[in-house]
Amino acid sequence: MCAKPDVLFFGLGAIGSTYAYIFQESKRARVSVVARSNYGLAKEKGLSLRSKKFGDHDGIKFHGVYRDTAEAAASGNKFAFVICTNKALLDATPSLASQLEPVVSPDTTIVLVQNGVGAEEPLHQAFPNHTIISCVCWTGAKALEVGVVEQFNRDAMTVGVDWNPSLKREDEAKRLEEFAAILRAGKTECDVKEDIQSERWVKVIWNSLTTVTQLRTNRFLSSSPHSLPLAYAVMNEVAAVATAQGLHVPVGTVEKLIEQCTRVKEGLPSSMLMDHLEGRPMEVEVILGTPLRKGLELGVPVPILATLYSIVKALDWKNAHPDEARI
């Protein structure tokens, strides 16, 4: 019988905690985590999960709990998958690539479970001989308090390889299937896609609209007769940029996303909105900056993206400089 692969989750927030639990419940992986603010609690007491689907669980512990990747590397474990569930902050110091370096061995596959677009490129540059799996996460999860996570609404992930031309495609596909098999064994929805970037590009908008209005989706959409047309317009801008760079956005994609959102009658918040309200750095560049820059580069009109980027960037600056931002 083959030994279970060692898996490391980098980031133990709401999504990281939920999927670390799912991986552990699959019985197909030995799960370790890098936790920062909740390190002591995760190591001593374990985490708690509240979920209608997965049940309520307390004292969830993992094979290894580490303060940082250097400590994880010192454990001697060789990680088959390093799963990044931290915030996608392209301009952060230190960079994600430098933080991952201690735990990336020759056989490690790097997995991104993050918002936005453009986060793969710096990792391809830093790790040119490694497979990178990119995931679009549709799972609802939030922290109720330190160490207690609620999983709500659906749990689903769309996954695919961000293909590396220097590696054999069949080898990368095998890594992807191994990852997807663990997800499915953990009884969560997993949809494998050949073209993951097209999937990723059409999921970047609700974050910014909920943030600039500070409203759940249902409240925003019912606030004026112009709200829904605005949502369509900005999504269509992103779809146009994606199409211009050769990605495939099927006809009806924007309508499908709007319908999925409006189906949730109580409305949805967003991770960007939660970050803003808590005064944390927001994922401005991967959600708005990359689509905006790519649109300008390709000559695609993106006036609404430019407006949203400018407003959210200003809100991000305000949170980082509260004293200077006082009126």
Side-chain angles (χ1 to χ4, degrees):
M1 186 177 183
C2 294
K4 295 177 183 178
D6 274 301
V7 172
L8 181 69
F9 279 81
F10 181 69
L12 202 60
I15 290 295
S17 298
T18 300
Y19 278 96
Y21 168 82
I22 288 170
F23 262 63
Q24 185 147 283
E25 285 300 297
S26 76
K27 312 299 183 189
R28 294 195 180 188
R30 192 165 69 161
V31 180
S32 296
V33 299
V34 171
R36 285 167 282 190
S37 60
N38 52 1
Y39 166 80
L41 192 147
K43 190 170 184 67
E44 300 303 325
K45 287 182 59 181
L47 301 181
S48 296
L49 178 69
R50 305 287 178 259
S51 169
K52 288 183 179 179
K53 175 176 177 177
F54 298 108
D56 294 346
H57 304 274
D58 295 308
I60 302 168
K61 290 194 171 185
F62 304 103
H63 174 71
V65 179
Y66 309 110
R67 291 182 182 86
D68 52 36
T69 53
E71 190 175 277
S75 71
N77 293 324
K78 299 297 182 185
F79 299 105
F81 296 98
V82 173
I83 303 172
C84 303
T85 47
N86 60 310
K87 289 290 179 186
L89 303 172
L90 292 184
D91 49 359
T93 303
S95 68
L96 176 59
S98 64
Q99 292 182 83
L100 295 185
E101 189 173 2
V103 292
V104 175
S105 64
D107 293 324
T108 298
T109 294
I110 300 168
V111 182
L112 290 179
V113 185
Q114 296 180 324
N115 286 321
V117 291
E120 297 89 355
E121 185 55 36
L123 295 179
H124 279 303
Q125 292 175 8
F127 306 107
N129 300 314
H130 289 75
T131 294
I132 296 176
I133 293 174
S134 190
C135 306
V136 180
C137 184
W138 304 96
T139 300
K142 64 180 179 181
L144 299 178
E145 57 184 273
V146 177
V148 182
V149 169
E150 179 187 12
Q151 184 274 313
F152 57 92
N153 291 330
R154 64 188 294 209
D155 63 288
M157 192 179 283
T158 306
V159 304
V161 174
D162 194 60
W163 302 104
N164 185 336
S166 66
L167 300 178
K168 292 181 178 179
R169 202 171 180 95
E170 58 266 30
D171 291 342
E172 293 205 288
K174 185 177 178 181
R175 297 285 181 98
L176 174 62
E177 186 48 47
E178 182 182 358
F179 177 75
I182 298 173
L183 282 170
R184 292 176 182 133
K187 297 181 173 56
T188 190
E189 184 181 334
C190 174
D191 187 16
V192 175
K193 294 290 187 181
E194 183 79 7
D195 177 14
I196 191 61
Q197 285 304 323
S198 294
E199 300 291 325
R200 186 172 276 288
W201 269 77
V202 296
K203 197 230 169 185
V204 300
I205 296 308
W206 284 118
N207 272 290
S208 58
L209 290 176
T210 55
T211 302
V212 297
T213 61
Q214 298 187 36
L215 292 171
R216 285 175 171 261
T217 50
N218 63 327
R219 300 302 184 197
F220 163 67
L221 291 173
S222 64
S223 64
S224 93
H226 305 290
S227 298
L228 185 58
L230 174 61
Y232 272 107
V234 69
M235 284 187 170
N236 282 325
E237 281 190 5
V238 174
V241 175
T243 301
Q245 58 181 323
L247 298 175
H248 177 58
V249 181
V251 174
T253 294
V254 170
E255 289 76 11
K256 180 181 176 182
L257 288 171
I258 295 275
E259 191 275 330
Q260 287 175 345
C261 179
T262 54
R263 194 189 308 154
V264 182
K265 298 305 180 185
E266 66 273 22
L268 296 167
S270 68
S271 58
M272 177 180 271
L273 173 58
M274 293 299 101
D275 286 339
H276 172 57
L277 295 177
E278 295 294 329
R280 296 187 295 257
M282 292 185 284
E283 298 167 308
V284 189
E285 298 306 326
V286 293
I287 291 174
L288 292 168
T290 298
L292 171 61
R293 286 187 290 273
K294 186 61 69 171
L296 294 174
E297 174 189 325
L298 296 171
V300 178
V302 284
I304 302 173
L305 275 174
T307 301
L308 290 172
Y309 176 83
S310 299
I311 295 171
V312 177
K313 197 73 173 174
L315 292 173
D316 203 37
W317 183 90
K318 178 183 177 182
N319 280 343
H321 305 85
D323 292 334
E324 295 173 60
R326 279 205 190 101
I327 297 174

